Amino acid sequence: MLKPTHADILNKPYSQMKDLKLYCPDDLEKIKADHKSAWQIFKEFNLKVYQNLPMHFAKPHIENWCNGWEIRRHFFAYYKYDSYLGNAPIIAIILNRQRLIICLTWYSYKAKVFNSSLQKFNAWTDKINLENCSEFYVWHSSVDYYGEFQSVREFDCDKIHLKDGEFYRLGRFIHKDELDKFNDDELINWTRQTIERLSKVYEYCH
């Protein structure tokens, strides 16, 4: 299943095909093959997680490994309830060069084609009992997935002052070097449990 080597494969000299063809022509086919092979494992992992989730979850959307002009620098999938397929809040799974992340987030990239509002999404910070998720992390929408995440223990919902377009994410992560400590069933179970716990907060966002 997912191991440090799959995160390391994402560490490419370039991501755009034109740059890879120009600067790494001899390595291009191996880079593509390795990346696609790692993505297949990421895809299989998500489908196994999905098989263990409650029935009200829709089949996950798993972003392809390549969009034709770029070999992506991360693997990305997201989960929604069947009843919320038209809304922008998602529970995302991201594997990047640094860590495996599971988080509740606002799908900014596609938000305009969905029905829900960012104001409704941000309601989770008013409704959540942070004591029930003390091992989770929170990070502002301006912090990328390689940034520093703030422990829930240090987060004060009463001091939130969001500007237009801003939001907070809630999630957990495993550093890529720690993935070797999990066997397949353990990692699937950890991910499933995290998604189910986040789903309670996800319900506040609609």
Side-chain angles (χ1 to χ4, degrees):
M1 201 55 68
L2 294 179
K3 297 297 179 184
T5 52
H6 302 122
D8 292 338
I9 283 170
L10 296 165
N11 190 21
K12 304 181 300 298
Y14 304 95
S15 59
Q16 293 194 14
M17 285 288 193
K18 63 180 181 64
D19 292 328
L20 289 164
K21 289 177 180 178
L22 180 62
Y23 299 111
C24 313
D26 295 338
D27 299 324
L28 177 58
E29 291 308 313
K30 185 177 188 309
I31 289 172
K32 289 168 61 177
D34 288 348
H35 194 93
K36 188 173 182 179
S37 176
W39 173 81
Q40 291 282 5
I41 292 170
F42 178 79
K43 179 180 179 180
E44 179 185 352
F45 168 73
N46 276 278
L47 293 177
K48 287 185 176 179
V49 169
Y50 168 66
Q51 291 169 5
N52 287 275
L53 287 171
M55 294 295 292
H56 53 264
F57 277 92
K59 189 175 181 179
H61 171 87
I62 303 171
E63 185 180 70
N64 203 1
W65 67 279
C66 177
N67 63 9
W69 58 271
E70 181 184 34
I71 299 177
R72 305 184 194 279
R73 290 190 177 272
H74 63 259
F75 297 133
F76 171 77
Y78 68 76
Y79 295 73
K80 295 182 179 184
Y81 287 3
D82 273 314
S83 55
Y84 295 144
L85 283 175
N87 295 346
I90 58 174
I91 298 174
I93 296 186
I94 298 160
L95 179 68
N96 61 27
R97 301 185 306 273
Q98 182 173 310
R99 49 197 169 195
L100 175 68
I101 302 165
I102 295 92
C103 67
L104 171 70
T105 187
W106 174 256
Y107 196 19
S108 304
Y109 179 64
K110 293 284 189 178
K112 290 184 179 179
V113 304
F114 292 124
N115 302 321
S116 54
S117 70
L118 185 55
Q119 182 180 7
K120 284 186 177 180
F121 174 82
N122 284 329
W124 75 261
T125 59
D126 295 326
K127 299 177 181 179
I128 189 174
N129 182 351
L130 294 179
E131 293 181 359
N132 294 333
C133 50
S134 60
E135 71 275 36
F136 281 70
Y137 292 82
V138 177
W139 62 104
H140 189 269
S141 52
S142 62
V143 177
D144 69 22
Y145 289 102
Y146 290 95
E148 293 297 322
F149 302 164
Q150 182 181 15
S151 170
V152 160
R153 298 185 187 93
E154 303 167 352
F155 186 67
D156 189 346
C157 289
D158 295 330
K159 294 183 178 180
I160 292 176
H161 300 287
L162 291 172
K163 299 177 183 178
D164 288 346
E166 295 182 342
F167 58 91
Y168 279 97
R169 302 182 179 98
L170 175 70
R172 299 170 76 188
F173 66 89
I174 300 172
H175 192 276
K176 61 113 174 176
D177 291 334
E178 301 292 310
L179 289 171
D180 270 336
K181 296 182 178 179
F182 293 80
N183 65 35
D184 292 356
D185 290 341
E186 289 170 341
L187 189 59
I188 289 169
N189 192 49
W190 182 88
T191 303
R192 176 194 60 78
Q193 289 180 343
T194 301
I195 290 174
E196 288 190 20
R197 292 181 65 186
L198 285 172
S199 72
K200 307 305 179 185
V201 188
Y202 170 77
E203 291 173 2
Y204 296 147
C205 302
H206 301 86

